[in-house]
Amino acid sequence: MLGALIAVIVGGVVVVGQLSSRPAAVTPPAGAAPLGSISYPAPKDALFVSPNGSDQASGTKAAPLRSVQQAITVARSGQTIVLRAGSYHQRVTVTKDKT
């Protein structure tokens, strides 16, 4: 019955709709997007961290730091820290002067 109208009374209000053989559009749930599904350019002054990096490195994309704590230690307030793919089993402390 494609195109047929349907009326339903909900709480004393008549709600009118149209029947369709196509499923309704699904609204994605609120919250974070699935990992790896969104990309954006990192700021030019971002610090990079990689499990294969070195804490004596400069923190650039080509020479990433190894630990998140070292990135936090050397980062300026408001500076972006980019974590490259990998596992980070680390404990970190962020001081009050970093936001």
Side-chain angles (χ1 to χ4, degrees):
M1 296 184 55
L2 183 61
L5 291 177
I6 185 171
V8 179
I9 300 175
V10 179
V13 177
V14 178
V15 179
V16 179
Q18 188 171 16
L19 295 176
S20 173
S21 61
R22 293 181 300 176
V26 177
T27 303
L35 287 175
S37 66
I38 295 179
S39 65
Y40 60 92
K44 291 182 181 186
D45 68 339
L47 289 172
F48 287 79
V49 181
S50 170
N52 300 321
S54 166
D55 279 346
Q56 287 71 47
S58 60
T60 63
K61 188 173 184 178
L65 298 165
R66 180 176 180 86
S67 70
V68 176
Q69 184 63 62
Q70 182 62 14
I72 291 169
T73 299
V74 301
R76 294 181 321 279
S77 185
Q79 189 173 15
T80 299
I81 297 173
V82 178
L83 302 180
R84 305 297 292 177
S87 296
Y88 297 89
H89 302 282
Q90 303 171 14
R91 184 176 302 222
V92 299
T93 302
V94 180
T95 60
K96 290 182 181 180
D97 64 331
K98 305 280 178 148
T99 58

